[in-house]
Amino acid sequence: MSVRVSSAKIALSTASVYPERTPDAFELAARLGYDGVEIMVGADPVSQDVDVLERLSDHYQMPILAIHAPCLLVTQRVWGKDPWAKLQRAQRAAERVGARTVVVHPPFRWQRDYARDFEIGLARMRDETDVAFAVENMFPLKARGNEVVPYSPDWNPVDHDFPQVTLDLSHTAVSGSDALEMFTKLGDRLAHLHLADGVGVPNKDEHLVPGRGTQPCAPILERMAGNGYSGLVVLEINTRKAVSRSERIDDLAEALAFARLHLAASTSA
């Protein structure tokens, strides 16, 4: 029996330390032994300022491995209102700090011009940079027994012609998707994993510590190791209910240990 360890780097999303802030994510990632961080560009001014991010990266010797563009409802005005300008700014930030990936959500349906040109526009941007634009799976909403899809062309990028995709295992729980089937369908298009868990509560994006929900977090990591996956694994968990900083640190440490354990796949000699 031999052990094959994936070359994938494990990063901490700055969203995982909320309500602490971006500098705290750098500090905790360095303390706990993460390989780097993913910057969730949001309301925290530090997350928007590339100069400050570079100084934090240098100070903590913690690489910035990915930029999550401000695509959430609550970040619609961060970096302006134009969604293409946001992506271009995320690309420039990624190039400057040496990040390999920009995570982007599918457009909202009301962003009609952006949604119409989304696939073509992303392809054009890919031709201009080495940065990967990894489109993330989202989830439909349930309202009065009906399913509402606020995204266009769809909440699920797996069946669309996106060459790089982010698979989020909390979002698969909310959508009731078969995460292993999505993983298999993606094949080499899987560029980025948001590692989290969930039990599938409708309309509730839980982002539990992996292993605390029903998603196949361990099998997916083990298959990644067996397949030689070399993309990013990003812990994007919700620690806002931690009763103390010590409990938050314990959750972040547990999440990292889970990822490292299951990225070491045992194979027959």
Side-chain angles (χ1 to χ4, degrees):
M1 186 74 71
S2 62
V3 175
R4 183 175 183 179
V5 180
S6 171
S7 62
K9 293 186 180 298
I10 303 173
L12 177 66
S13 169
T14 55
S16 297
V17 305
Y18 184 84
E20 294 190 58
R21 303 179 72 184
T22 303
D24 302 300
F26 278 90
E27 176 212 336
L28 294 177
R31 182 195 301 191
L32 295 172
Y34 281 82
D35 296 318
V37 297
E38 174 177 298
I39 303 297
M40 173 68 82
V41 179
D44 180 359
V46 172
S47 73
Q48 306 172 28
D49 191 323
V50 180
D51 290 334
V52 178
L53 293 174
E54 283 191 312
R55 291 199 293 270
L56 285 167
S57 179
D58 289 342
H59 177 74
Y60 288 104
Q61 292 296 290
M62 186 55 42
I64 298 171
L65 299 176
I67 302 288
H68 193 310
C71 308
L72 303 172
L73 275 175
V74 295
T75 59
Q76 288 297 289
R77 294 180 181 273
V78 172
W79 282 357
K81 298 179 183 179
D82 181 352
W84 286 117
K86 291 172 185 275
L87 285 191
Q88 289 163 358
R89 192 162 175 178
Q91 175 188 327
R92 291 194 298 270
E95 290 170 340
R96 182 168 161 186
V97 302
R100 59 196 294 181
T101 308
V102 168
V103 177
V104 57
H105 292 179
F108 290 111
R109 286 195 172 275
W110 56 84
Q111 296 174 308
R112 293 179 183 175
D113 292 343
Y114 179 49
R116 184 188 62 239
D117 298 333
F118 185 61
E119 294 187 51
I120 295 172
L122 275 189
R124 187 182 306 118
M125 292 182 71
R126 287 190 192 96
D127 289 340
E128 300 170 354
T129 182
D130 291 331
V131 173
F133 294 89
V135 182
E136 185 171 1
N137 63 300
M138 299 306 292
F139 48 87
L141 302 175
K142 303 291 177 62
R144 299 178 181 177
N146 297 315
E147 187 173 278
V148 179
V149 179
Y151 302 99
S152 178
D154 195 5
W155 60 268
N156 182 7
V158 173
D159 293 326
H160 293 269
D161 190 24
F162 297 113
Q164 290 103 13
V165 172
T166 296
L167 181 62
D168 185 301
L169 296 181
S170 177
H171 296 173
T172 57
V174 188
S175 64
S177 303
D178 184 328
L180 275 171
E181 180 182 3
M182 291 175 72
F183 171 82
T184 301
K185 281 185 176 181
L186 282 171
D188 292 342
R189 294 194 298 140
L190 178 61
H192 204 76
L193 179 73
H194 276 166
L195 180 59
D197 215 332
V199 298
V201 179
N203 301 337
K204 187 174 182 181
D205 191 11
E206 298 167 284
H207 283 278
L208 302 178
V209 172
R212 297 185 186 177
T214 60
Q215 296 306 289
C217 299
I220 283 178
L221 291 171
E222 289 161 6
R223 291 189 187 190
M224 284 178 160
N227 293 341
Y229 174 79
S230 59
L232 286 176
V233 173
V234 178
L235 272 301
E236 192 183 67
I237 63 173
N238 183 348
T239 66
R240 69 188 64 187
K241 292 184 179 180
V243 297
S244 65
R245 193 168 205 251
S246 177
E247 184 175 301
R248 174 169 295 111
I249 291 170
D250 287 346
D251 284 347
L252 298 175
E254 179 183 331
L256 177 60
F258 183 100
R260 292 216 186 281
L261 173 65
H262 293 288
L263 279 173
S266 296
T267 58
S268 298

